[in-house]
Amino acid sequence: MTLDILTLSRRSVAAATDAAAMVEEIARSFMDTLAVAHAGRNEPVLRKLAALYGAEPAMPEHQALFNATAAHALDYDDLQFASVTHVSAVIVPALIAAAHAAPSWPQPRAMASAYLAGLDTARQVGTALGPAHYAAGWHATSTLGPLAAASAVARLWQLPLDQTRDALALATCQASGTQRSFGSMAKPLQAGLAASAGLRAAAWARQGISGPEHPFGAGGFETLYGGRHDSSPAPDDAPFLVDVGRKAYPCCYCAQRLVAAALSLRQQLQGVEGGIAPQAVRNVTIHAQEGTLLPLRITQPRDGNEAKFCADYVVAAALLDGGVGLRHFEAASLQRADLAALRGRIRVLQHGPRAGSIEDGVVWAQCELADGRVLQGAEIKYFPGSTQAPLTEAQLEAKLLDCHGGNDGAVQALKHTVRRWLGLSA
Amino acid sequence: MTLDILTLSRRSVAAATDAAAMVEEIARSFMDTLAVAHAGRNEPVLRKLAALYGAEPAMPEHQALFNATAAHALDYDDLQFASVTHVSAVIVPALIAAAHAAPSWPQPRAMASAYLAGLDTARQVGTALGPAHYAAGWHATSTLGPLAAASAVARLWQLPLDQTRDALALATCQASGTQRSFGSMAKPLQAGLAASAGLRAAAWARQGISGPEHPFGAGGFETLYGGRHDSSPAPDDAPFLVDVGRKAYPCCYCAQRLVAAALSLRQQLQGVEGGIAPQAVRNVTIHAQEGTLLPLRITQPRDGNEAKFCADYVVAAALLDGGVGLRHFEAASLQRADLAALRGRIRVLQHGPRAGSIEDGVVWAQCELADGRVLQGAEIKYFPGSTQAPLTEAQLEAKLLDCHGGNDGAVQALKHTVRRWLGLSA
């Protein structure tokens, strides 16, 4: 698909929705993003940013930087598969900062349309670049993020077509961030930089600052950022979608299905006397299609960040506690004797054929009881929280509550604020 | 040459000079940069930035953005050939903003060492990436600029080795800007963004924010930014150099030699009655080695920016006025009848063999007099202002004066300030 700055800009300007279901879905994106940002505010990188810019930064670009970094700090934020970007972590903070900077708080429809414009730009650009972009080593959240945020903010401020075009073009001048940052504080900061870059691009364009006239095409953005070159035209009439997968559990993307598989097995165990204890259950086996567990390389986690990438740890937590939450990645949980004991009875088997991509592949859990019976959980094909298996209202509510340390009042206030922003009934 | 973050950081920390000649050279860099920034402040992009951030921005990162954009706005600022970066336009504004942000104004030696550290980082990274980086389409000023500025600011603030390392690593996360921006306001802005990104990287590192541990190497920065892959080790003991070429004339780099050639011919014409007028001189021919004039594609300039890329226009200006200054690229000059008439008698001939690079190649000017004699100017091999043919004190003084609209008091004040910053006698 060929990228064309005018087509992208036209789509951004045209982004709009009145469909109630879609606005509800957008509200879920805002709630999910703001909840994980709230939980992320205690991470060390945020405390350091707060020391530099204040806990409530005064300037819009620092607000966007701070809140987008917070939203991505726990890696608990949503993902758009088409662009491999943590798209809402970039767009939502940029939009809120842009809303604060507007003369009056935006109309609900402007807020919803703006979010949609951002998602659409990320998907269009991500699809055009293809998987080659991420495979090369770019951090798509931070390279495509400025474009998504610029599109969203331009739409929120209702910039005309030519200024929207300059906003997108000025965003291409600020695309940076690589996967080498993974494991350092720079990873969430790259989401923060993307949000502030997008906001800046829109503010500059509104002031009449011109960007490159032809940012795309052979030798341009796609070439430099390792994208594929496919000259099929962009589908001008592609629908506007809310196509984000929300994480159900605060651990590695590839661990999400394991948790779901463990929870399904746990249901089977409900009737067994003694539950998951050794006197009732001899061992638990996770069966996973080969290629579905690649990032889960940690076998002896030393801290919470490592535990997020340890397969038997997350399975044990799900089996014992009926879910996996933020507390499982705090220091105290790593010391729990019951988790350690159960982990010793869990094994992970990988089966061929190898899954085609991170999205493909099936996992399931089974256990052998002390009496010799074998119980088997359901096959989990889709990531819990993905667009094929979206979070239920109850799951989202539980996540919001977990992110707010169990403070239901804070969760209700957040939900109320978001519903008001988007013009939804309380 | 392989890039190694530790070697780069060690060099930055070690950068220092007491050599009087080198400090004088550094002073020239500051004066040259601040003078072109002063002249650039009236460009439209700066007026738009001023409307957003104020003419004297309060925050260090906006000061760096504003002043580096101004320094590059006229394309009259210096160039480091080894990295193809307008290196001082990025480093000097970042350093001045960092100095303002320090608890007290830095010691002269810190200022000189910091500038040297920035140049050195740009040269090391630029040499390692090789010409492939620029040839791919990256704007090296804005991709390598953050590294140069981060190194300079880290040295100014005397950050320890580990924080200098994080500063450089955090700069790699912010490398952006492509040649597609040339011709739009984004070109100078990319220098501004580089300066503020470098300052930000150093400020973040000082706060304890970590960057990627291994930003370089196969699959890292060099790979993503189109550099070559050459595994020879970096010369750890390479000298610290002030290796910048300063522009003598406010036009395209490739037009600089044409102006020098025309001025040499003008000297030959001093004794000719009637000077350059048609009754004395039939025609002027510029001889240029093939490949030395590539960017000079404009034949009918419509404005000053286009005139900077018009070979016969700059030659005519030099022949008539004995030099080329900022006024030659203002609207009134494009209407001058004498310039138009002389341009009609100038032709440009290109000769083989083709020059190996933009740095190579020879140009000279000759004229045929009305009486049949032929006068020939000197062969110009080196760019006027380059390290091989540096600006004389008189040429630099003339440039500073031109940039200040002829206000000698302002020039003396600038020189005094810079000499004080660097601990030089007045």
Side-chain angles (χ1 to χ4, degrees):
Chain A
M1 197 172 90
T2 298
L3 278 171
D4 170 61
I5 184 78
L6 197 56
T7 303
L8 269 186
S9 313
R10 283 198 182 117
R11 287 186 67 91
S12 175
V13 169
T17 183
D18 278 330
M22 188 178 261
V23 180
E24 288 283 355
E25 194 59 21
I26 293 171
R28 282 188 275 272
S29 282
F30 274 74
M31 291 172 192
D32 186 75
T33 304
L34 292 173
V36 297
H38 180 82
R41 286 175 75 102
N42 295 321
E43 291 297 294
V45 62
L46 275 302
R47 291 203 303 270
K48 290 175 190 299
L49 281 186
L52 284 165
Y53 304 105
E56 305 282 346
M59 294 203 55
E61 57 186 282
H62 294 149
Q63 288 167 16
L65 171 72
F66 189 89
N67 291 322
T69 303
H72 193 44
L74 294 171
D75 233 321
Y76 199 6
D77 47 320
D78 69 25
L79 185 85
Q80 183 186 54
F81 265 109
S83 60
V84 202
T85 61
H86 290 278
V87 70
S88 300
V90 175
I91 297 176
V92 170
L95 276 181
I96 294 174
H100 280 295
S104 62
W105 194 262
Q107 294 300 308
R109 180 160 170 175
M111 209 69 164
S113 303
Y115 177 75
L116 216 47
L119 286 194
D120 188 67
T121 297
R123 183 173 55 254
Q124 297 283 320
V125 178
T127 306
L129 266 63
H133 174 65
Y134 194 84
W138 295 103
H139 183 201
T141 298
S142 63
T143 49
L144 308 189
L147 284 143
S151 174
V153 174
R155 184 75 189 91
L156 186 76
W157 288 343
Q158 298 177 7
L159 300 192
L161 182 65
D162 60 334
Q163 292 186 356
T164 299
R165 182 185 167 131
D166 276 320
L168 290 170
L170 288 164
T172 66
C173 304
Q174 301 177 74
S176 63
T178 83
Q179 290 166 23
R180 288 295 172 106
S181 295
F182 291 9
S184 78
M185 294 182 191
K187 193 198 182 201
L189 278 167
Q190 288 180 171
L193 287 165
S196 58
L199 182 73
R200 187 186 297 127
W204 287 3
R206 185 171 60 172
Q207 194 64 38
I209 289 177
S210 62
E213 203 173 335
H214 301 292
F216 301 117
F221 185 80
E222 311 91 298
T223 308
L224 292 170
Y225 288 87
R228 70 171 161 214
H229 298 284
D230 168 357
S231 59
S232 61
D236 229 336
D237 53 353
F240 290 97
L241 300 173
V242 182
D243 56 346
V244 295
R246 302 187 185 103
K247 273 191 181 177
Y249 314 107
C251 48
C252 175
Y253 220 94
C254 289
Q256 306 285 313
R257 277 189 289 215
L258 300 190
V259 176
L263 293 177
S264 170
L265 179 64
R266 193 173 190 266
Q267 281 196 317
Q268 303 290 315
L269 279 162
Q270 296 291 335
V272 175
E273 198 177 337
I276 195 70
Q279 56 272 33
V281 173
R282 280 205 190 112
N283 57 58
V284 174
T285 307
I286 300 290
H287 300 271
Q289 196 168 335
E290 203 169 332
T292 57
L293 305 178
L294 288 179
L296 305 177
R297 295 208 180 90
I298 304 288
T299 53
Q300 297 301 332
R302 293 168 299 180
D303 58 31
N305 278 326
E306 290 193 354
K308 293 180 178 197
F309 296 87
C310 176
D312 58 76
Y313 184 85
V314 298
V315 167
L319 283 169
L320 278 176
D321 299 342
V324 174
L326 289 167
R327 69 186 166 93
H328 289 106
F329 304 100
E330 290 167 3
S333 284
L334 275 88
Q335 307 298 326
R336 277 173 56 180
D338 57 342
L339 274 169
L342 179 53
R343 286 177 56 209
R345 291 184 286 128
I346 295 172
R347 61 180 180 162
V348 179
L349 296 182
Q350 298 199 45
H351 305 269
R354 195 180 177 80
S357 82
I358 199 179
E359 279 187 88
D360 297 332
V362 168
V363 303
W364 70 97
Q366 67 181 37
C367 67
E368 189 189 348
L369 299 184
D371 62 13
R373 279 182 298 157
V374 170
L375 296 185
Q376 186 144 324
E379 283 197 353
I380 308 295
K381 183 172 180 193
Y382 299 115
F383 283 115
S386 66
T387 52
Q388 299 98 333
L391 296 188
T392 62
E393 287 300 317
Q395 282 177 309
L396 180 59
E397 185 86 16
K399 178 176 178 178
L400 302 185
L401 203 57
D402 190 28
C403 286
H404 285 82
N407 181 342
D408 187 60
V411 170
Q412 298 317 315
L414 166 67
K415 291 171 72 172
H416 181 77
T417 299
V418 169
R419 296 188 73 81
R420 185 165 47 79
W421 285 349
L422 293 167
L424 296 168
S425 57
Chain B
M1 196 172 92
T2 299
L3 278 172
D4 170 60
I5 184 78
L6 198 55
T7 303
L8 269 187
S9 313
R10 283 198 181 118
R11 287 186 67 91
S12 176
V13 169
T17 183
D18 278 331
M22 190 178 259
V23 180
E24 287 283 356
E25 194 59 22
I26 293 170
R28 282 189 275 273
S29 283
F30 274 74
M31 291 171 192
D32 186 74
T33 305
L34 292 173
V36 298
H38 180 82
R41 287 176 74 102
N42 295 319
E43 292 296 294
V45 62
L46 275 304
R47 291 203 303 271
K48 289 175 192 300
L49 282 185
L52 285 165
Y53 304 105
E56 304 283 345
M59 294 204 55
E61 57 186 281
H62 293 149
Q63 288 168 14
L65 170 72
F66 189 89
N67 291 323
T69 303
H72 194 45
L74 295 170
D75 232 321
Y76 198 7
D77 48 320
D78 69 26
L79 186 85
Q80 182 186 54
F81 265 109
S83 59
V84 203
T85 60
H86 289 279
V87 70
S88 300
V90 175
I91 297 176
V92 171
L95 276 180
I96 295 175
H100 279 295
S104 63
W105 194 262
Q107 294 299 309
R109 181 161 169 175
M111 208 68 163
S113 303
Y115 177 75
L116 217 47
L119 286 194
D120 188 67
T121 297
R123 183 174 53 256
Q124 297 283 320
V125 178
T127 306
L129 266 65
H133 173 66
Y134 195 85
W138 295 103
H139 183 201
T141 297
S142 63
T143 49
L144 308 189
L147 284 143
S151 173
V153 174
R155 184 75 190 90
L156 187 77
W157 287 343
Q158 298 177 7
L159 300 192
L161 183 65
D162 60 335
Q163 292 186 356
T164 299
R165 183 185 166 130
D166 277 320
L168 290 170
L170 288 163
T172 66
C173 304
Q174 301 178 72
S176 62
T178 83
Q179 290 166 24
R180 288 295 173 107
S181 295
F182 291 10
S184 79
M185 293 182 192
K187 192 198 181 200
L189 278 167
Q190 287 180 173
L193 288 165
S196 58
L199 182 74
R200 187 185 298 127
W204 287 3
R206 186 171 60 172
Q207 194 65 37
I209 289 178
S210 62
E213 203 172 336
H214 301 292
F216 301 117
F221 185 81
E222 311 91 299
T223 308
L224 292 170
Y225 287 88
R228 68 169 163 216
H229 299 285
D230 167 357
S231 58
S232 62
D236 229 335
D237 53 353
F240 289 97
L241 301 173
V242 181
D243 56 346
V244 294
R246 300 186 186 104
K247 273 193 182 175
Y249 314 107
C251 49
C252 175
Y253 221 94
C254 289
Q256 306 284 313
R257 278 190 287 217
L258 300 188
V259 176
L263 292 177
S264 170
L265 181 63
R266 192 172 190 266
Q267 281 196 317
Q268 302 290 315
L269 278 164
Q270 296 290 335
V272 175
E273 198 177 335
I276 195 69
Q279 55 272 33
V281 174
R282 279 204 191 114
N283 56 60
V284 173
T285 307
I286 300 290
H287 299 272
Q289 198 170 334
E290 203 169 333
T292 57
L293 306 177
L294 288 180
L296 305 178
R297 296 208 180 89
I298 305 287
T299 54
Q300 297 301 332
R302 291 169 299 181
D303 59 32
N305 278 327
E306 291 193 352
K308 293 180 178 196
F309 296 87
C310 176
D312 59 76
Y313 184 85
V314 298
V315 168
L319 283 170
L320 278 177
D321 299 342
V324 174
L326 289 167
R327 69 187 165 95
H328 288 107
F329 304 100
E330 290 167 1
S333 284
L334 275 87
Q335 307 298 325
R336 276 173 56 179
D338 57 342
L339 275 168
L342 179 53
R343 286 176 57 208
R345 291 184 288 128
I346 296 172
R347 59 179 180 165
V348 179
L349 295 182
Q350 298 198 46
H351 305 269
R354 195 180 177 83
S357 82
I358 200 178
E359 279 187 89
D360 298 331
V362 168
V363 303
W364 70 96
Q366 67 179 40
C367 67
E368 188 188 348
L369 299 183
D371 62 14
R373 277 183 300 157
V374 170
L375 296 184
Q376 187 144 325
E379 282 197 353
I380 308 295
K381 183 172 180 191
Y382 299 116
F383 284 114
S386 66
T387 52
Q388 299 98 332
L391 295 189
T392 63
E393 287 300 317
Q395 283 177 308
L396 179 59
E397 185 85 18
K399 179 176 178 178
L400 303 185
L401 204 56
D402 191 28
C403 286
H404 286 82
N407 182 343
D408 187 61
V411 169
Q412 298 316 316
L414 166 66
K415 290 171 72 173
H416 181 77
T417 300
V418 169
R419 296 187 73 80
R420 185 167 45 79
W421 285 348
L422 293 167
L424 295 168
S425 58

